[in-house]
Amino acid sequence: MDEKFNLFLDTVDENFRSFVNQINEYLTGNNCKCNIKLQKSGYVVSYVLNGEKRTLATFVSRKTGMKLRIYPEHIGEYQSFLDTLPEKVKKEIRKASVCKRLINPDDCNPKCVMGYTFVLDGEQYQKCRYAAFQPTLSEENNPYIKQFLEKELRAAADYK
């Protein structure tokens, strides 16, 4: 395993190291390239779909714990999955900032990548791609995080 990844893994709560390692193996085994950078807040570990320039997911460290920011470009194809998420994750999604570009394109930087329009529990949302889907690693959330990634990879493969 890469030395940088091991250094990152050392910073992860030991209760979640196995899960983080499992996600790393799953994504790198499914045609994703792992990029690791050290920033002030800690390591940022991103997974980029090979053959594309888009990031699928990024581990980010926050005071509230380790999160996995997911960029679900194909959310429309499996948005009913969002209704199955734990209530805490749904609450985080609802609290996330709106995507200014989706609401009024002139209100945001034109270089900003647009966010997502999706339905959660029967209500439509337009959320920023950097804030919408970043569940905190936890015993309750981890199985859903894995399912989320599986659904996105499957939808991305079907799209090709």
Side-chain angles (χ1 to χ4, degrees):
M1 205 180 321
D2 184 71
E3 185 181 332
K4 272 188 183 178
F5 186 79
N6 285 331
L7 291 171
F8 157 68
L9 209 50
D10 287 344
T11 68
V12 175
D13 180 323
E14 68 181 64
N15 295 322
F16 303 122
R17 284 183 189 159
S18 174
F19 177 72
V20 169
N21 205 33
Q22 178 186 2
I23 293 299
N24 179 66
E25 288 176 6
Y26 174 73
L27 293 177
T28 56
N30 278 281
N31 210 23
C32 290
K33 184 176 186 281
C34 178
N35 294 324
I36 302 172
K37 294 177 185 160
L38 182 57
Q39 295 185 334
K40 280 193 291 187
S41 61
Y43 286 94
V44 176
V45 180
S46 299
Y47 295 90
V48 179
L49 283 167
N50 280 342
E52 299 181 34
K53 290 186 179 177
R54 83 174 185 92
T55 302
L56 173 66
T58 302
F59 281 110
V60 290
S61 186
R62 297 285 185 258
K63 289 178 185 172
T64 56
M66 180 69 65
K67 295 180 174 280
L68 185 66
R69 182 181 293 143
I70 302 169
Y71 302 99
E73 301 298 318
H74 305 283
I75 191 69
E77 294 173 38
Y78 57 89
Q79 68 183 337
S80 62
F81 165 73
L82 298 176
D83 295 342
T84 70
L85 295 172
E87 206 49 50
K88 282 182 179 177
V89 176
K90 289 180 182 182
K91 187 176 177 183
E92 288 177 355
I93 292 170
R94 288 184 191 106
K95 266 184 14 184
S97 55
V98 298
C99 175
K100 294 175 186 174
R101 277 198 76 202
L102 283 171
I103 295 168
N104 182 353
D106 297 332
D107 280 354
C108 197
N109 184 329
K111 292 182 181 177
C112 180
V113 180
M114 248 186 254
Y116 309 104
T117 300
F118 59 91
V119 175
L120 171 65
D121 290 339
E123 191 172 334
Q124 182 175 306
Y125 293 90
Q126 292 183 309
K127 297 291 184 176
C128 172
R129 82 184 304 259
Y130 300 104
F133 304 105
Q134 36 181 2
T136 303
L137 302 190
S138 72
E139 293 300 323
E140 182 183 22
N141 295 349
N142 291 357
Y144 293 93
I145 291 170
K146 180 102 185 323
Q147 287 177 49
F148 207 147
L149 294 170
E150 290 169 349
K151 289 182 181 304
E152 181 60 26
L153 279 173
R154 204 171 306 123
D158 291 347
Y159 185 74
K160 286 184 177 182

